[in-house]
Amino acid sequence: MTVAQPQPEGLTFECETGNYHTFCPISCVAWLYQKIEDSFFLVIGTKTCGYFLQNAMGVMIFAEPRYAMAELEEGDISAKLNDYDELKRLCLQIKRDRNPSVIVWIGTCTTEIIKMDLEGLAPKLEAELGIPIVVARANGLDYAFTQGEDTVLAAMAVRCPDKAPVAETEKHERNAIQKLLHFGKKKEDVVQEESEYADHPPLVLFGSLPDPVVTNLTLELKKQGIKVSGWLPAKRYTELPVLEEGYYVAGVNPFLSRTATTLMRRRKCKLIGAPFPIGPDGTRAWIEKICSVFNIQPKGLEEREAQIWAGLEDYIQLIRGKSVFFMGDNLLEVSLARFLIRCGMTCPEIGIPYMDKRYQEAELKLLEKTCQEMGVPLPKIVEKPDNYNQIQRIYELKPDLVITGMAHANPLEARGINTKWSVEFTFAQTHGFTNARDILELVTRPLRRNNSLKDLGWDKLVKEDAKV
């Protein structure tokens, strides 16, 4: 009689069906209006939405940010006012004062509830004003606040041109990132550089990243002979990348599943399913996957990754052997956990508001592989976690660090648990080889703070005060 061999245990997934303890997705305006420099964002919602935006983006007294709030009054909600006339009045004012290349309407929960037909109003008003109007329903019905960007990029993907310009000079003019890389160079040098690229199908990357990170990742691919044909979003709306049928696309963030689906179904692009370029390990895996799709042998990546890890050793010494617990907030949890496990940490649980297993398939496989190579238990992934249950588990597990939303940070700190705001990883530069240090700077900050308190002897005073 043969005895069945035990199968290796894989990742376990649970769904606790708790509430979504995250910001509202309209907060995506905070970084998108800065990224797309010729845009204007009009958020259509109630005063509550306006108050939230003020808090999320700061009160800019002297600045003139390219976003505004179209506040719905009782007359709008009871359908006594004409939506088209009101939006036309606002958009005419925006055109007169700012003259943007595109106006993005951000629909909120209220526009969903009262069935405001933004998609029906936009084309008519667009034709009348002569300015493109993109409709994105980035409302609170989404799972995480980062998915606001996903909705906007999915709407913009439909607007990308479907034909590449014929002339080579026009091609450079359309490709903003190539124009940036060629800035200040002689024409002969540019021609020489172009000849160094391998012969591969066009590649477009999607995800909103700061310009230095965009340049960095583009250059990393250039070292492998891979040419990036464009980024979505581009720095300017007028420079949106060309998306022809059969173009290859790759994402840089785990929360862009809707954009990926739109690119595949609506634009007939081919998605490269790769881990995300967060941490040296993720960046190397991301580049290697793109190279493998284009039949290019990657070169120098092992040395590049080893060089980065050597430069992180001072931070890694602080967290090696410690444990980290993710409560779930921004959909970056799996990628960050994988990187921190590679740094020598253990992670008993990854809470995540929503898990798209198809889009994050390569990242999940890399997480599993990382745990096996580091000899640590696989984390449990809890989708839509119930925070009450999570806090009970935190008390039992006693992790060295909890990465959580802002709402739970102070209560946990008051109970002697080290925390880090997950939202900080959203706004920090975390992608690529060179930004791995910034991730560890954030992760180790509460641990370094506690070490400093111990050196000063303040931790004893705090304990004595707690007894009193």
Side-chain angles (χ1 to χ4, degrees):
M1 184 177 71
T2 58
V3 179
Q5 295 293 323
Q7 296 297 314
E9 188 179 350
L11 289 168
T12 57
F13 297 86
E14 291 183 12
C15 184
E16 282 192 316
T17 63
N19 294 323
Y20 299 121
H21 298 268
T22 73
F23 286 125
C24 175
I26 66 173
S27 57
C28 71
V29 175
W31 61 86
L32 285 177
Y33 91 89
Q34 298 179 65
K35 174 65 183 178
I36 310 168
E37 294 180 351
D38 57 349
S39 63
F40 193 96
F41 285 77
L42 182 64
V43 182
I44 305 167
T46 60
K47 281 184 169 62
T48 305
C49 306
Y51 296 146
F52 171 74
L53 276 181
Q54 271 192 321
N55 283 299
M57 305 172 78
V59 181
M60 302 182 183
I61 300 172
F62 301 107
E64 287 189 323
R66 285 170 284 99
Y67 71 91
M69 185 75 218
E71 289 187 352
L72 298 173
E73 304 288 349
E74 291 179 7
D76 300 288
I77 295 171
S78 60
K80 290 181 179 178
L81 297 178
N82 188 302
D83 293 335
Y84 182 81
D85 291 341
E86 290 297 307
L87 287 170
K88 179 182 176 181
R89 179 180 61 81
L90 288 170
C91 289
L92 279 170
Q93 185 180 344
I94 292 167
K95 181 180 179 180
R96 184 181 65 248
D97 296 345
R98 304 300 179 86
N99 194 29
S101 298
V102 61
I103 298 174
V104 183
W105 286 355
I106 302 291
T108 62
C109 304
T110 312
T111 61
E112 296 281 319
I113 293 165
I114 66 174
K115 304 289 191 289
M116 186 178 280
D117 185 19
L118 296 177
E119 287 83 2
L121 297 171
K124 184 181 175 183
L125 188 53
E126 181 177 316
E128 198 169 338
L129 291 178
I131 296 178
I133 298 176
V134 175
V135 178
R137 293 189 176 273
N139 57 70
L141 304 179
D142 272 331
Y143 309 104
F145 70 96
T146 49
Q147 287 181 289
E149 177 187 323
D150 192 18
T151 309
V152 173
L153 296 192
M156 284 192 173
V158 182
R159 298 297 191 102
C160 290
D162 57 2
K163 288 185 180 178
V166 179
E168 190 68 22
T169 53
E170 292 177 351
K171 202 176 284 186
H172 288 316
E173 287 173 9
R174 292 302 299 267
N175 192 342
I177 186 64
Q178 294 299 326
K179 188 165 62 176
L180 181 64
L181 294 178
H182 296 155
F183 180 75
K185 293 181 180 178
K186 295 179 181 178
K187 193 172 182 180
E188 312 85 75
D189 296 335
V190 172
V191 173
Q192 173 63 30
E193 284 186 12
E194 290 292 313
S195 65
E196 295 174 2
Y197 288 114
D199 183 20
H200 64 82
L203 170 69
V204 173
L205 304 177
F206 60 94
S208 175
L209 296 177
D211 290 341
V213 185
V214 167
T215 305
N216 181 266
L217 290 178
T218 305
L219 288 172
E220 292 291 349
L221 289 172
K222 183 182 177 183
K223 291 176 184 176
Q224 307 300 326
I226 296 173
K227 182 177 182 179
V228 178
S229 298
W231 279 79
L232 176 68
K235 198 172 181 180
R236 300 181 65 82
Y237 180 79
T238 53
E239 296 170 343
L240 282 176
V242 174
L243 289 174
E244 291 188 39
E245 184 175 339
Y247 273 32
Y248 282 84
V249 293
V252 295
N253 275 321
F255 48 77
L256 299 175
S257 57
R258 188 179 292 131
T259 303
T261 303
T262 302
L263 289 168
M264 288 189 290
R265 292 181 180 173
R266 297 284 297 275
R267 302 311 303 264
K268 309 300 181 186
C269 295
K270 297 177 181 178
L271 178 68
I272 298 175
F276 301 101
I278 294 174
D281 49 339
T283 305
R284 175 185 170 184
W286 181 74
I287 295 172
E288 285 179 340
K289 178 64 176 182
I290 295 173
C291 287
S292 68
V293 170
F294 293 146
N295 294 317
I296 295 172
Q297 184 65 37
K299 52 184 182 290
L301 284 180
E302 289 185 20
E303 296 81 1
R304 182 87 168 106
E305 185 187 3
Q307 179 188 12
I308 298 299
W309 282 119
L312 300 177
E313 187 57 35
D314 54 338
Y315 278 118
I316 292 175
Q317 287 178 3
L318 295 170
I319 59 174
R320 187 180 285 123
K322 289 184 165 53
S323 58
V324 59
F325 187 106
F326 288 84
M327 291 194 74
D329 184 40
N330 58 11
L331 299 188
L332 294 171
E333 288 83 12
V334 174
S335 300
L336 290 172
R338 178 259 304 153
F339 167 58
L340 294 178
I341 289 170
R342 178 65 70 180
C343 290
M345 298 190 82
T346 57
C347 181
E349 179 173 321
I350 302 173
I352 189 168
Y354 165 70
M355 169 58 71
D356 189 322
K357 291 182 183 177
R358 292 177 302 172
Y359 182 57
Q360 293 213 44
E361 182 182 8
E363 184 66 84
L364 291 169
K365 286 181 179 177
L366 183 58
L367 170 65
E368 199 166 343
K369 180 184 175 186
T370 301
C371 291
Q372 290 169 356
E373 290 178 354
M374 298 301 293
V376 298
L378 292 169
K380 179 173 66 174
I381 297 177
V382 181
E383 187 178 0
K384 201 180 179 187
D386 184 300
N387 283 161
Y388 177 82
N389 294 337
Q390 273 196 323
I391 289 170
Q392 305 311 309
R393 294 195 290 271
I394 288 171
Y395 287 156
E396 293 171 10
L397 294 167
K398 295 181 174 58
D400 296 293
L401 180 67
V402 175
I403 296 179
T404 175
M406 293 173 70
H408 301 97
N410 284 348
L412 288 172
E413 288 281 353
R415 287 158 179 79
I417 298 166
N418 296 319
T419 65
K420 195 64 193 162
W421 292 348
S422 52
V423 71
E424 292 188 71
F425 297 95
T426 310
F427 289 96
Q429 296 186 13
T430 57
H431 296 70
F433 285 121
T434 56
N435 290 316
R437 195 171 182 85
D438 289 355
I439 304 176
L440 294 182
E441 168 67 26
L442 291 174
V443 169
T444 60
R445 192 171 293 164
L447 304 176
R448 287 183 284 118
R449 178 197 63 206
N450 286 353
N451 290 340
S452 298
L453 289 175
K454 287 179 182 177
D455 292 341
L456 294 169
W458 288 3
D459 59 324
K460 295 178 182 177
L461 292 174
V462 171
K463 288 178 182 177
E464 289 175 6
D465 288 343
K467 290 178 182 176
V468 174

